[in-house]
Amino acid sequence: AYATWLSARGDAFRKQVKVAALDPFAGYKTAIDDKLQDATAVLDAFHVVKLGTQAVDEVRRRVQQDTLGHRGRTGDPLYGIRRTLQIGAEHLTPKQITRLNAKLEAGDPHYEVTLAWHCYQKLRAVYHARPEQGRRLVAEVLGAFPSCPIPEIARLGRTLRRWKAAILAYFDTAGASNGPTEAVNGVIETMRRVARGFRNFDNYRLRALLAAGGHRPWRK
């Protein structure tokens, strides 16, 4: 679908595209390589970090099952910090750090969640570093994660290694990102959920434009 859309834009449009930020989906990369040969493909920072949060959550849920034999419930140590584990270390308050350490001590006997969380923090640090340091951190991540004894982190490392060139391209494109597009999509999705759908596409389009950008499109 993406390749077809790019084809329909015409040569003049495609030749103007110099950078293409994308999600970690092979179909997007294939379309870019085929239709935008001169563009630099950049794996979007938001989605890279999101892969890290997913890996940490997978480890947390597995350890929860292994230690307690059931899904997370109120009062379970790891379930109580499921949101805290997704926060960057630099944003944690002293109270949150104390609580995080206590819950990990109580619910993470083999330190798997703890190690996964530190791996996630290192992945986040890539996008808070200057280009030279960021490239060095990428090399460290790709060198260590695939051989990690925690299977979820090892799988994350193999995924990131396949996208190495697109990850490093972030530093060659002044931090190219599709963050603005994701933000607009988020606003539109919220609007659609509140409205519980639209029966008329033109009305849906107009409401989406108003909600996402405050524009008042011209109407006949």
Side-chain angles (χ1 to χ4, degrees):
Y2 185 35
T4 301
W5 183 87
L6 287 172
S7 295
R9 304 282 73 76
D11 290 338
F13 173 89
R14 293 195 299 273
K15 288 179 180 178
Q16 294 181 71
V17 180
K18 303 303 180 185
V19 177
L22 69 156
D23 301 359
F25 171 60
Y28 294 154
K29 185 63 166 58
T30 299
I32 290 171
D33 291 344
D34 185 41
K35 303 298 180 181
L36 302 173
Q37 297 93 335
D38 297 328
T40 300
V42 183
L43 194 60
D44 183 61
F46 168 82
H47 289 91
V48 174
V49 173
K50 185 178 179 182
L51 290 175
T53 62
Q54 290 174 343
V56 173
D57 199 53
E58 289 172 2
V59 176
R60 179 192 63 79
R61 286 187 277 113
R62 176 174 59 78
V63 172
Q64 167 81 31
Q65 286 282 357
D66 291 346
T67 56
L68 298 180
H70 58 74
R71 296 178 60 183
R73 301 172 184 171
T74 301
D76 292 342
L78 295 182
Y79 184 75
I81 56 172
R82 64 193 185 284
R83 304 300 182 200
T84 309
L85 289 168
Q86 299 178 1
I87 300 174
E90 71 277 11
H91 298 304
L92 293 174
T93 66
K95 182 178 179 180
Q96 287 176 313
I97 293 174
T98 299
R99 182 171 180 270
L100 180 65
N101 289 334
K103 296 294 186 180
L104 287 172
E105 183 67 27
D108 186 27
H110 302 296
Y111 305 103
E112 290 183 278
V113 180
T114 303
L115 179 56
W117 183 78
H118 282 289
C119 289
Y120 162 59
Q121 295 301 326
K122 187 162 191 174
L123 184 60
R124 288 185 77 259
V126 168
Y127 297 102
H128 292 276
R130 294 182 180 275
E132 191 58 37
Q133 183 185 7
R135 293 186 182 93
R136 179 177 59 78
L137 288 172
V138 170
E140 292 177 4
V141 165
L142 299 185
F145 282 23
S147 58
C148 180
I150 300 174
E152 294 85 354
I153 299 299
R155 184 173 65 249
L156 171 63
R158 292 191 296 270
T159 298
L160 296 176
R161 191 163 55 187
R162 288 196 298 271
W163 290 91
K164 178 180 178 180
I167 293 173
L168 289 173
Y170 174 86
F171 301 105
D172 300 322
T173 56
S177 169
N178 62 2
T181 303
E182 295 291 342
V184 171
N185 285 341
V187 172
I188 292 174
E189 288 300 315
T190 299
M191 177 202 68
R192 187 173 65 176
R193 284 194 295 270
V194 171
R196 303 194 179 188
F198 291 92
R199 297 176 64 184
N200 181 284
F201 178 77
D202 289 336
N203 185 37
Y204 175 37
R205 175 179 175 275
L206 291 170
R207 290 285 296 274
L209 287 169
L210 287 168
H215 304 296
R216 295 186 179 277
W218 178 77
R219 299 175 70 179
K220 294 182 180 180

